[in-house]
Amino acid sequence: MASANEIFVVGIGASAGGIEALEGLFRSTPAGGGLAYVVVTHLAPGVASALPEIVATFTTMPVARAEDGAAIERDRVYVAGPDATLTVEGGRLRARPVPPEGRHHERNPIDAFLGSLADDAGDRAIAVILSGAGSDGTLGLKAVKERGGLTIAQGTDGSAPRHHGMPSSAIATGLVDLVLSVEDVGKKLVEYVGSFGALSGLVANGAEERADAARRRICALLRDQVGHDFAGYKERTFMRRVQRRMQVLQISDIDAYVELLGREHAEAVLLFRDLLIGVTDFFRDRAAFETLERVVIPRLFDDGQPGDRVRVWVPGCSTGEEAYSIAILLRERMEATGATRQVQVFATDIDDLALETARSGRYPEALLRGIDPDRLRRFFTYEHGTYTLSRQVRDMCIFSSHSVVRDPPFSRIDLVSCRNLLIYLDGEVQSRVLPAFHYALKPGGFLFLGSAETLSHRTELFTPVDKKHRVFQRRDHVDTPLTVAAFLSSGVRPAGGVGGGGTGLVGSGRGATPAALTLRRAVEARMLERHTPAHVVVNREGDVVYYSSRTGKYLEAAPGQPSRQVLAMARRGLRLDLRVALQQAAETRRPVHRERVEVDVESEGRVQVVGLTVEPLPDHEADPLFLVVFEDDGPTLARGETSTARLPSEEDAALERSERELRDTRERLQATIEEYETALEELKAANEELISVNEELQSSNEELETSKEEIQAVNEELSTVNHELGFKVDLLNESNSDLRNLFESTRIAIVFLDRHAVIRSFTPAVSELFSLIPGDRGRPLTDIASHLDVEERLHQDVRSVLAGQGPVERRVIRRDGRAHHLMRVLPYLDSDRAIDGAVLTFVDITNVVASERQQQTLVHELNHRVRNMLAVVTAIATQTLAWTPAPGAFAPAFLGRIEALARAYGLVSRESWGDVPLEEVLKEEFEPHALGDESRLAASGPKVMLRPRAALALGLVLHELATNAVKYGALSVSAGRIEVAWGVEDGKGEGADAGRRLVLRWREVGGPPVGKPKTRGFGSELIERQMCYELGGEVEIDFSRRGLAATLAVPAGEGLFDLAPGG
Amino acid sequence: MRRDGKGTGMPTSRPAEPLDRCRVLVVEDESLIAMDLEGMLRRAGCEVVGPVSRVEAARRRVEEDDAPSLDMALLDINLDGEMVFALADALAERRIPFVFLTGYGPEVLPERFKGRPITFKPYTQTTLLALLVEARRARGAEAS
């Protein structure tokens, strides 16, 4: 009990019909209750189980397959796998693989798990048995209960279990605390755990005195209600059981429980049973069994005849532990002494399911704690977490359904072992059962009772052999007090049994007289029976209320209505005397006697002389009764003989005749006896045969039982597998439907081919590429016309993929050129990763192709521009170098031009090669020369947008003008300014655009006087070239004394500029 | 480094004689490049016809004006968005040799002009002049 200490572990056993039950349970179990759940089912080994996945759909708690060594954690669900036997050790799961050869053997995985859980978790173990056939789980539940855990079985209210076997078997043990519908289990568990915490302090802290007082009161109540004194019980054990009942009832206050106990007898009985739990284990009450072994067992073998069987009867055997314990003791004795006598242990119970469990002889480890390790090794084989009894012991035991109360008892039994059955029976039934045991036992046979059981008031039947351990021996001189039905009028004592020995009336359910017969009474009864004259008892009216035997000689049935009137029944000759005697007796209340009354006995006229006595019985003043006694006086005589003296000769003749008759009769008797003996022998033989047939039947029956269990197990596995299959089919349907939707919605054309390139299926988008209709499934792809440009290549690709040469990817174009596709041919792999066909996918990449083309064009154009620009730069360098006289002036001039070009490019590229405002070009080119003073430029004009070409050319021109102004013109002095004005002017030409042009006027003001330079510089050349050649325009430069003035004109015809709207 | 007398050329090694007095039509829309080509050709001893920046203007020159005496042509392919190939066809018809000059790659040439001499911007004067010499020599061979 290490780490599982803190956690309540719920072991859930389920089998056939279990999935439904699990669903009901988990759906209604609140998460976060702090419990751990372990589900154990019967699964076919070697088959992958989807149970964890299935269970996971029922609950929000994490669900995992139970792995070996996993620590059990709160709020988790563990599901046992099919190939291992699951147990718990120190709060960890242990999954021991089942060897393949053991897989088809029967296993009791639920018993094995619950048994180990009981050991490991103690009172924190909870066993829940759900739907399932068979009886697996019953013993495990027993172990849990015994260690103080809670036990629950699925009940029939709510959703009833589909198979009742397992829960019913558990319930039949009487050890189930709660029978609930699965929907209530979860809630109850959480409540239970809650109350557990509240109660655990009950005994421990502070409340000790109160608890002790309560214990004493409970003991007193139990003594009153069930007659058993638990005052000597261990306090802790006692209080733990009390707590357990309180938890089940969810009463948290001990005084409230004591009050309930006083009020409800049923609760007292339940507590009493709880207190006695566990004594059905193997050799559980070790000292008692040792006594049995030492005192009784040897005598069973020693006392009987060598040929006799030793017969033991274990009534109320439940799941068989007691019967097997005794069988083991007997087997040990036989082996120790070499005794060869046959031994039979009849184990009976009314619970067929318990018998089934008992017959299989498989027990979880937890129930075998009391057993000596030597015995365990010798008589048990360990298999899959459970111990199975050896065949030799099982063969000794015959389990059958039998009620000790209802059915006739067994007979000729050497030992009756009936431990802890009587405590479940009330006093009246007990006093019927004990005589049945007495009857069943052979003379000197033994009775073995449970430690809490007594003979109550039937002590006359048995002598104690060991008082402490409840071993008794049959008292032989007591005739079993058989009782007849009390049909006599009140006050008339039954005069004893009818025949000798018991005749099946024992325990027959009729009323029993409480009075015990003494030996004297038995003798009296015998005497009355055998050696007293015939008599009847009549009332005052003469009605017979009692007949002795052999009254027929004196009385006969009267004709007419049946009557009990003795005078009507009296034979001829008797009636008169009887009437007179009865009258006298009634009057005088004294005995009246009449001698020599002749009574006609037979029709041939024979007469019996009788003495008649009528005597009033004492103690019946109000309704007096009279005893009428008939006493024969000599043999019957012929009529007339009575009055005449008999002659000697006649007597001799009669004697001779009698002797002859006697001889004849003896001979006949001898013959009859011989016949009888032969018949008896035959009967004996027949009986032997019957017994052996019976045994064979018994063993066949057991084999059948075993097969039935096997079939049941297989059936359960099948049912579980079936459920799983159903679940998988659902999943499959879902996936199929997903796939179908995907197929129908996807715009990707997909064709599935089998390994012969025959079409398996395709998506609707394929119709864009192939002339396919749904009916074409199953036709070879080569039969289908395609709209693609690569038909032959395609078939080749398919063949190569089918041949395993890897996937192919290719761009294909529709013949009409409308669409481009990326075709992929991939191998279709089956579950073994082998090629089982091909998948053709066509992704529409028309847009991609178009974009690629566009991109290529752009790259092309960019290359062109870059190269052109490099050529321009080279040209500027070449020209500047050629025109620059001083080497030092080259760099500033060249760089200035490159920068001017760069600025113009910057503007143009900022607009993504769109139009640029003239004003911006001007400002951009002017700015580096303005030395930070914007006011030196006065720009005015409408908003004119320049084409990139015009912007670049004008940019260079303006740069040259500005450079010149800085060097020689207005910008060379601080007062100088430049005025730039532009506008669109209409010329004199004809047509819409003819003569229309952009005119820009550059005027320098406030600069030094300028003159026309003597040589034309590169700047002028550049300006002219740009204006005239590049733009097809004009330029006019006036070197006036007031300052340089330039007029630049760009014609509209080339579309190099636009007047912006509103500009 | 040396400068020629006119002051319009670049210092360069004197190209081969065969271009002396050769009349070369220059078709180029970029004025600075046109200027540069003009200078280069002059220094090589050529007589520059043009330069012209438009196909239409160039065709007029070829058909009416100087055509009979035109020896060769240097053609920029993209003239402000207009392709020069129509002019090239006209020249080919007249068996006037020409050299393409372009900022594009070789793929820009239509099939019919594959094999024609072409040089790419940014050009070097040496390569360009060598191509012109080659073209002229080819024509001479063809004529004889």
Side-chain angles (χ1 to χ4, degrees), chain A residues 44-108:
Chain A
V47 177
S49 162
L51 195 59
E53 291 79 14
I54 295 173
V55 172
T57 61
F58 303 153
T59 175
T60 52
M61 287 184 277
V63 179
R65 190 176 296 284
E67 302 291 352
D68 189 39
I72 297 179
E73 290 173 33
R74 284 169 211 277
D75 295 318
R76 278 173 178 275
V77 182
Y78 302 86
V79 179
D83 296 327
T85 302
L86 194 67
T87 52
V88 193
E89 272 176 39
R92 289 181 178 276
L93 294 170
R94 303 284 300 151
R96 289 192 187 76
V98 179
E101 68 274 10
R103 287 193 177 159
H104 295 287
H105 288 184
E106 297 161 56
R107 294 192 290 149
N108 280 357

Side-chain angles (χ1 to χ4, degrees), chain A residues 861 865 869 900-918 921 925 944-957 1026 1030-1031 1050 1054-1058, chain B residues 29-30 54 80-81:
Chain A
E861 196 52 42
R865 289 210 172 136
M869 186 47 58
L901 198 61
R903 278 193 296 275
Y905 255 96
L907 269 181
V908 168
S909 61
R910 200 190 305 154
E911 301 298 329
S912 308
W913 289 87
D915 294 354
V916 184
L918 170 60
V921 178
E925 292 304 339
V944 171
M945 302 299 289
L946 300 173
R947 297 277 173 275
R949 184 180 162 86
L952 291 173
L954 276 178
L956 271 180
V957 169
Q1026 289 291 316
E1030 187 88 20
L1031 301 178
V1050 181
E1054 300 256 353
L1056 289 167
F1057 64 89
D1058 261 338
Chain B
D29 62 333
E30 186 65 59
R54 292 285 177 276
D80 194 21

Side-chain angles (χ1 to χ4, degrees), chain A residues 860 868 878 1025-1026 1029, chain B residues 10 28 31 38 103 107 121:
Chain A
H860 223 68
N868 227 12
T878 322
R1025 285 270 186 170
Q1026 289 291 316
Y1029 186 80
Chain B
M10 266 291 294
E28 166 64 61
S31 67
E38 210 181 321
E107 71 283 346
K121 291 178 184 176

Side-chain angles (χ1 to χ4, degrees), chain A residues 856-867, chain B residues 78 103-104:
Chain A
Q856 201 145 20
T857 314
L858 283 176
V859 168
H860 223 68
E861 196 52 42
L862 186 68
N863 272 335
H864 173 243
R865 289 210 172 136
V866 168
R867 287 168 159 185
Chain B
N78 185 339
Y104 292 110

Side-chain angles (χ1 to χ4, degrees), chain A residues 513-528:
Chain A
T513 48
L517 285 191
T518 60
L519 176 63
R520 208 185 104 223
R521 284 214 185 104
V523 173
E524 283 170 358
R526 207 64 171 176
M527 285 301 293
L528 274 170

Side-chain angles (χ1 to χ4, degrees), chain A residues 106-126:
Chain A
E106 297 161 56
R107 294 192 290 149
N108 280 357
I110 302 174
D111 280 342
F113 176 76
L114 291 179
S116 69
L117 179 65
D119 272 356
D120 201 59
D123 55 2
R124 281 166 196 263
I126 298 169

